[in-house]
Amino acid sequence: MEVLEALLTRRSVRQYEKKAVDKKTIEEIIRCAMYAPSAVNRQEWEFIVVTEEETLREIMNIHPYASFLADAGTAVIICGDEEKQYQPGHWITDTSAATENLLLAAHGKGLGACWCGIYPDKERMKAFQTLLGLPAHILPLSLNAIGFPKTRPSKPAERFLPEKIHYGKW
């Protein structure tokens, strides 16, 4: 799939076939996520891959918008390492870039994915830290479902709005 086509056709997928995604494919997708830009190339991201049904159920209990994990079968939680970030807050932008790369890579592989926010909800962040045994300096940003879409999402409505572009000044 061409890059521009992927950017213009990627959609959040919330309905999946109950079919496992193989480990090699997940690692290829995460490899793409690791090629995201990061401040001063700190690459402070960490990835937790969850495929065990019991842990997926616990995640669905923590996150109110992740019920589709039951069918997707794979969750990738992207975290940032506060101790490795260049300046305070960079873990957020850097792991967000990695999350977008992950979503685009899944789409490019013909899979569906959906970003479910963990950050900035402090209670949700703490619940994920506890469930996944994360050290205090590892902060969860995004929960990403990955799986085989039940149906192909339709092309998104036009989002290009020229009035949102400002040249030089406001």
Side-chain angles (χ1 to χ4, degrees):
M1 178 180 301
E2 185 186 321
V3 173
L4 295 180
E5 178 188 353
L7 289 167
L8 295 173
T9 60
R10 190 214 61 80
R11 302 290 292 156
S12 293
V13 173
R14 292 177 179 85
Q15 294 182 336
Y16 298 90
E17 294 179 18
K18 199 159 182 74
K19 179 179 166 186
V21 179
D22 64 274
K23 182 179 177 181
K24 180 182 178 211
T25 301
I26 294 298
E27 288 182 354
E28 289 173 348
I29 291 167
I30 292 174
R31 178 186 180 100
C32 292
M34 290 181 180
Y35 273 75
S38 65
V40 195
N41 201 27
R42 291 291 174 100
Q43 303 173 30
E44 67 267 43
W45 40 65
E46 300 287 338
F47 301 83
I48 313 294
V49 179
V50 177
T51 57
E52 301 79 20
E53 284 187 36
E54 182 181 330
T55 308
L56 290 171
R57 274 194 302 276
E58 291 180 47
I59 288 172
M60 290 183 288
N61 288 333
I62 292 170
H63 201 296
Y65 307 110
S67 61
F68 42 80
L69 280 175
D71 291 331
T74 302
V76 177
I77 297 89
I78 302 182
C79 305
D81 186 336
E82 268 192 313
E83 293 179 352
K84 288 184 181 176
Q85 68 183 332
Y86 177 60
Q87 291 180 342
H90 278 165
W91 75 270
I92 299 162
T93 55
D94 295 350
T95 54
S96 293
T99 299
E100 182 65 17
N101 273 24
L102 181 101
L103 298 173
L104 287 165
H107 180 55
K109 298 289 282 178
L111 297 169
C114 187
W115 176 343
C116 301
I118 298 172
Y119 175 87
D121 186 309
K122 299 286 187 205
E123 288 179 28
R124 195 176 296 159
M125 290 173 70
K126 185 65 179 160
F128 272 89
Q129 284 178 307
T130 301
L131 174 65
L132 301 172
L134 304 178
H137 64 281
I138 303 296
L139 304 174
L141 176 100
S142 65
L143 163 65
N144 302 277
I146 298 177
F148 292 91
K150 216 173 224 183
T151 60
R152 288 282 155 208
S154 60
K155 185 178 177 184
E158 181 60 54
R159 293 183 181 181
F160 179 71
L161 301 171
E163 63 271 18
K164 297 280 188 178
I165 303 170
H166 310 277
Y167 293 95
K169 294 182 180 183
W170 188 263

